[in-house]
Amino acid sequence: MVSKLIKSVYKLCGVIDVGTVSAANFLISFFIIRELGTKDYALYMNLFSILMLASTLQNAFFNTTLSVKYSKIDDSREKETKAQSLCLLANLVHLFFVLPCIYFIGKVDAVFVFCVYLSFVLYLSREVYRVYNYVFNLRGIIIFSAMSSLIFTAIGLLLLLFFDIEGLTLTNVYAVTIFSGLISLFALLKSIKFKLPSLMDIKVSISDVISVGKWSSIGSLSTWAQNNSYTYLATLVIGLEATASLALARLIIMPINLVASGIYMAEKPKWAKLYKENKNNFKNLSNRTSKIMFVFISVYAVVSILLLNYIEYFLKADVKVELLLCWLAACIIQAFKFANSNILNVAEEFKYLAFIGVIISSIGVVASVLLGYTFGAIGIVFGYVIGELLHLLCTNFKIHRGGIFNEN
């Protein structure tokens, strides 16, 4: 009975993993909105978008190499050597992120800059080792790490409230993320037996990362531009307060995005193996996952709308219904878009994703700018929805006309 329960929990690892990450992010956002105000929340969201840019680049070069290319390696020793070499290389790259931070030290509080930098590095390092644990199917470790992050984030925020710190700032919030990030990272490293890779191993890792990343990075950056440009566009076109209003509506649907990305991140190594071994099973699994996500998003949308008054009371802020509906429409489209992107990723169609990503993101950003100047915040989000829909249609065409599911 206990073993069956553990197996069921492991199957839901992706949902639990990202569900807890979503909950931790929500707690931080909720804390900032209530204790610091919407302007600090808008600043936090802009910094979060920068983190997502760094995460996107890491995903394109390192995480994709690990979850797609290395998942297909049959020899366990070779897989472990290559994976550890790649993780070390990723962490070395993180050290270079200190360079842009030096520029801001004279212009912004040095402690704040340092806390943001360290928080970002811990986030990115955890991402790499989460993927590593998924590749080796160490799902218990992933769940433990995710739960640790949520619990210690909550404890840290409660301590800030309990001690009633005078002059509470974003620096204090980032200190909490460092605290929880360290504990979460140590949990992920718990079962890894580190071996110092040779220079040849590092050289091979660099070659693999470049071969995958030279195209996947273009597609990933285009996706980032489509997903995050609305924050900067809103700030430039309609001002910081309106950006906070946009971000507030998106905060409500944040759990959808994080659960979806978590499921597909957890499933990517498995999909990569199935793509190599049995494309029919791969097709069935991807279709089933899309349908489950569609049902989840539809139910979440209905519940969110029905409980909107309670959500506003809880957040102590007004949420514009039209903005929320637009975000929910984007999420429903993404239920299928994310699956398509994952399918093309494991098929290593990086060049096509790069090509179509640049075109679609350009159209989406232009649409957001034009509609934003005309209709305000709702226009910016509607431009984003147009981009998501076009991406879905183009990836559908490639999958069904490109023979992705043809048998091995």
Side-chain angles (χ1 to χ4, degrees), residues 26-286:
F26 180 83
L27 284 177
I28 292 168
S29 298
F30 177 64
F31 182 90
I32 294 170
I33 290 168
R34 283 182 65 101
E35 302 300 323
L36 301 179
T38 54
K39 284 190 177 180
D40 273 334
Y41 180 60
L43 174 59
Y44 172 77
M45 286 304 297
N46 276 286
L47 288 170
F48 189 75
S49 292
I50 295 170
L51 174 59
M52 289 301 99
L53 172 59
S55 176
T56 297
L57 287 169
Q58 177 173 276
N59 181 64
F61 285 95
F62 294 98
N63 297 0
T64 300
T65 305
L66 192 54
S67 64
V68 173
K69 195 176 186 72
Y70 290 177
S71 286
K72 296 173 183 175
I73 298 173
D74 294 322
D75 184 86
S76 58
R77 184 175 293 181
E78 181 189 357
K79 183 189 287 189
E80 186 177 354
T81 300
K82 285 195 168 187
Q84 288 200 16
S85 173
L86 184 139
C87 290
L88 175 63
L89 184 62
N91 282 291
L92 289 174
V93 170
H94 296 160
L95 297 177
F96 289 99
F97 291 165
V98 77
L99 296 176
C101 294
I102 295 171
Y103 171 79
F104 288 103
I105 286 176
K107 301 173 176 58
V108 185
D109 177 52
V111 176
F112 176 70
V113 173
F114 174 75
C115 285
V116 172
Y117 166 74
L118 192 52
S119 173
F120 282 16
V121 166
L122 287 170
Y123 182 96
L124 294 170
S125 189
R126 280 159 52 208
E127 270 205 338
V128 170
Y129 285 109
R130 278 166 74 198
V131 176
Y132 179 97
N133 280 277
Y134 275 121
V135 168
F136 291 94
N137 205 29
L138 301 172
R139 299 194 169 215
I141 298 294
I142 295 167
I143 294 170
F144 179 72
S145 170
M147 294 300 296
S148 299
S149 175
L150 174 59
I151 291 167
F152 285 100
T153 296
I155 290 172
L157 295 176
L158 285 172
L159 287 173
L160 293 181
L161 290 175
F162 180 77
F163 287 106
D164 194 21
I165 297 173
E166 190 176 345
L168 187 67
T169 64
L170 272 178
T171 302
N172 303 111
V173 176
Y174 276 106
V176 170
T177 65
I178 292 167
F179 170 62
S180 62
L182 277 169
I183 294 168
S184 179
L185 178 59
F186 285 141
L188 287 170
L189 300 176
K190 180 177 176 291
S191 64
I192 300 175
K193 296 177 181 177
F194 288 98
K195 298 174 185 175
L196 190 65
S198 66
L199 288 176
M200 181 56 69
D201 292 331
I202 295 288
K203 186 178 178 181
V204 170
S205 292
I206 292 171
S207 177
D208 289 338
V209 163
I210 291 172
S211 68
V212 170
K214 66 182 178 183
W215 288 112
S216 66
S217 60
I218 298 172
S220 295
L221 282 171
S222 301
T223 300
W224 178 87
Q226 172 68 6
N227 289 342
N228 294 279
S229 61
Y230 83 90
T231 305
Y232 305 108
L233 289 174
T235 301
L236 291 171
V237 175
I238 52 182
L240 200 59
E241 291 290 343
T243 303
S245 177
L246 261 176
L248 189 63
R250 196 179 194 187
L251 173 63
I252 296 171
I253 59 95
M254 182 191 291
I256 297 175
N257 289 329
L258 289 170
V259 168
S261 63
I263 287 174
Y264 290 120
M265 181 179 71
E267 293 299 313
K268 192 179 285 185
K270 183 178 179 181
W271 286 22
K273 280 186 177 181
L274 277 177
Y275 176 78
K276 180 182 176 183
E277 297 167 1
N278 192 319
K279 289 186 180 177
N280 190 47
N281 287 347
F282 169 49
K283 180 180 180 180
N284 293 335
L285 179 60
S286 62

Side-chain angles (χ1 to χ4, degrees), residues 340 344 352 356 359-360 389-399:
N340 284 0
L344 292 174
Y352 177 80
I356 207 66
I359 295 173
I360 297 303
L389 183 59
L390 287 173
H391 198 284
L392 172 64
L393 294 173
C394 290
T395 50
N396 257 341
F397 179 83
K398 176 64 176 177
I399 288 167

